[in-house]
Amino acid sequence: MTLHLYNTLTRQKEAFQPIQPGKISMYVCGVTVYDYCHLGHARVLVVFDVIARFLRSQGWDLTYVRNLTDIDDKILRRAEENGEPYQSLTARFIDAAHEDEGKLGIVPPDVEPRATAHIDDILAMVQTLIDKDFAYAASNGDVYYRVSRFKDYGRLSNKNPDELLAGARIDVDEAKEDPRDFALWKHAEADEAGWDSPWGRGRPGWHIECSAMSKHCLGEHFDIHGGGPDLPFPHHENEIAQSEAANGCHYVNYWIHAGALRVDGEKMSKSLGNFFTIRDVLEKYHPEVVRYLLIGSHYRSPINYSEDSLVEARTGLERFYGALRDYAEVEPASMKDLEGSAYYRDFVSAMNDDFNTRLALAVMYDLVRDLNSESDSDKARAMAAELKALGAVFGLLQDQPDRFLQAGGADAIGAEQVEALIAERADAKKAKNFARADEIRDQLQAQGVVLLDSPTGTQWRRE
């Protein structure tokens, strides 16, 4: 089955052709580390984590690079506000980002370059652009890229360069030749964060950082570049202009962008009071519930975060874990062993169609339905092993079924207390005190605990 990707550059779905047979090189823009990661970051992190997991499950030799921006105007402003060196600020939030990613089940990228470790690469690329007349050192100490020299500018974001010119402006303290020109190198005063350069002390512009880091890690031309919904313009547009002008070759074959995340139908914003960090959400919800919500829609589609949507995600996962409850000890199947399975075939077909997680989840629901009705124990165990293997591609079904189904919030009735009440209920039924047995069931139901009676005993889960 051939992998097809929607390419933002061409605005159409295309059959994937790797630069090197069997290998994929992928660069994804990571976070700017001046604060805790929020839900918008989580959407991008989870989307590309699932893409990486799936590609590797299909035998692709993937090199996954995701950068960290650790020098930036926002970082410097926040450090100044806090009265601390910017290095201590970024170190703290890099550690926090890694902690959040770990809790969300994000597999670390193969390479995680940091902008401050690639200043020499950045300086070399800026100098090349100046030498090729695609950039110029201005009178204010900045170095700017000449947008007018790059004929395809605006192609990725589908923007007309003339319209960009009409809507652009030049600030009074800038020395641009053209309002559309953007900074490759920013002047820094002696007491500001910066590095020495042929054009004076300064620091890199945001866009040049990714051009230099991607070249260092993957070369001048690679397969896939990804990021969030706000990056096609200007960030990725500027990356293309810089890289292709400096390197003299095509930069990236396929551009992938995740859809926007909204909160209760509105853009997430601190001013609206609907801004949530990853750690805020994980205090209340199981990490897999959050992952499920973020992959429940196609990665290019907008997604709405709300309490109702999280409840729906929890309910969906409960169906999977409920089906696996009697197969907790079953190991996930290997992908090679699943090649003859119709479920596996349909799952892979969905994912090869531009990573259609929504359709792939529907296949998993079909598998759950059939597992729940399967009477042959050997077949049922094989189906459970397949369900776990498919779930692993999404970073789901990694918990023990009972632990997931019985997990509750900080104010929920404890598991030991639930078990004690179940035991008391069993004794009441043996004593034919059915009124007390019903009373216990109702008490637990009121506290969000559902009892599941069977010939082998009573299991329970939280609503």
Side-chain angles (χ1 to χ4, degrees), residues 61-129:
D61 180 4
L62 172 68
T63 301
Y64 177 20
V65 180
R66 191 186 67 226
N67 78 292
L68 289 168
T69 297
D70 62 346
I71 184 68
D72 173 88
D73 291 347
K74 293 178 181 178
I75 290 171
L76 298 179
R77 283 196 297 270
R78 181 63 58 83
E80 184 177 1
E81 291 169 3
N82 292 353
E84 66 177 317
Y86 81 89
Q87 296 95 332
S88 65
L89 176 84
T90 57
R92 186 168 70 255
F93 284 116
I94 287 171
D95 289 345
H98 288 160
E99 181 182 343
D100 292 343
E101 291 160 13
K103 289 179 179 178
L104 263 182
I106 306 294
V107 178
D110 299 299
V111 188
E112 190 177 54
R114 303 180 186 185
T116 57
H118 291 272
I119 298 299
D120 288 345
D121 296 320
I122 292 167
L123 292 173
M125 183 169 279
V126 173
Q127 186 62 61
T128 297
L129 289 168

Side-chain angles (χ1 to χ4, degrees), residues 342-344 346-347 350 359-368 390:
Y343 305 110
Y344 175 77
D346 292 345
F347 180 92
L359 185 56
L361 280 170
V363 175
M364 292 175 63
Y365 279 119
D366 289 342
L367 177 53
V368 165
L390 300 184

Side-chain angles (χ1 to χ4, degrees), residues 3 13 47 50 64 76 78 100 141 233 290 306 324 425-426:
L3 175 65
K13 202 179 295 184
V47 161
V50 168
Y64 177 20
L76 298 179
R78 181 63 58 83
D100 292 343
F233 186 86
V290 180
S306 68
L324 293 173
R425 178 172 174 263

Side-chain angles (χ1 to χ4, degrees), residues 34-38 41 92-93 96-97 100 275 277-279:
Y34 69 101
D35 206 340
Y36 293 112
C37 293
H38 55 67
H41 295 134
R92 186 168 70 255
F93 284 116
D100 292 343
F275 184 91
T277 66
I278 293 173
R279 52 190 52 202

